[in-house]
Amino acid sequence: QVQLLESGGGLVQAGGSLRLSCAASGRTSSTSALAWFRQAPGKKREFVAAMRWTGTGLYYADSVKGRFTISVDNAKNTVYLQMNSLKPEDTAVYSCAASRFPLNPIGAYEADEYEYWGQGTQVTVSS
């Protein structure tokens, strides 16, 4: 089993920045891909970004390209999401996820490809 614990959410004004962290524990060596998803009230969960533990294979949703950066610190078993130039429409619960399956251009975007999920952290962007 793999446990994921997010932190770093909060309230920020539009144009501001936040960095989310996701600490992984347990059998992390069984996983190969990491991702961030988000879900706003009344909306479906949507993909944000993904990468491999090796730091390769970066994927981003079009809505966050150029503003968000996913990264990993293998020594700390932690994945980060740096969010800059935040907009009110970025308001959502952000969750990290991990998968045992190899990251690929199709599966990277699909929540069903990820077996392990954190509980989520709230990000609220005020206008």
Side-chain angles (χ1 to χ4, degrees):
Q1 288 293 325
V2 175
Q3 294 78 42
L4 302 171
L5 182 63
E6 303 95 335
S7 61
L11 174 64
V12 64
Q13 288 188 330
S17 298
L18 279 176
R19 188 178 79 157
L20 305 183
S21 300
C22 174
S25 60
R27 297 188 61 188
T28 57
S29 60
S30 67
T31 60
S32 62
L34 304 161
W36 287 95
F37 285 77
R38 66 186 183 186
Q39 187 167 20
K43 294 188 177 181
K44 291 177 59 177
R45 182 165 52 191
E46 66 171 345
F47 170 82
V48 176
M51 69 185 300
R52 300 185 183 95
W53 276 108
T54 57
T56 59
L58 300 176
Y59 296 89
Y60 292 97
D62 289 342
S63 58
V64 307
K65 276 181 184 176
R67 300 188 299 122
F68 291 11
T69 303
I70 187 172
S71 62
V72 64
D73 184 335
N74 285 282
K76 296 182 178 180
N77 276 350
T78 299
V79 60
Y80 302 98
L81 185 69
Q82 178 66 44
M83 306 185 295
N84 298 328
S85 302
L86 282 162
K87 305 175 182 180
E89 51 263 43
D90 294 319
T91 295
V93 174
Y94 285 71
S95 299
C96 66
S99 174
R100 293 178 292 119
F101 300 111
L103 197 65
N104 64 82
I106 297 176
Y109 301 89
E110 302 296 330
D112 288 345
E113 290 287 304
Y114 299 88
E115 302 98 319
Y116 305 106
W117 292 82
Q119 85 291 345
T121 185
Q122 177 70 47
V123 171
T124 303
V125 184
S126 62
S127 56

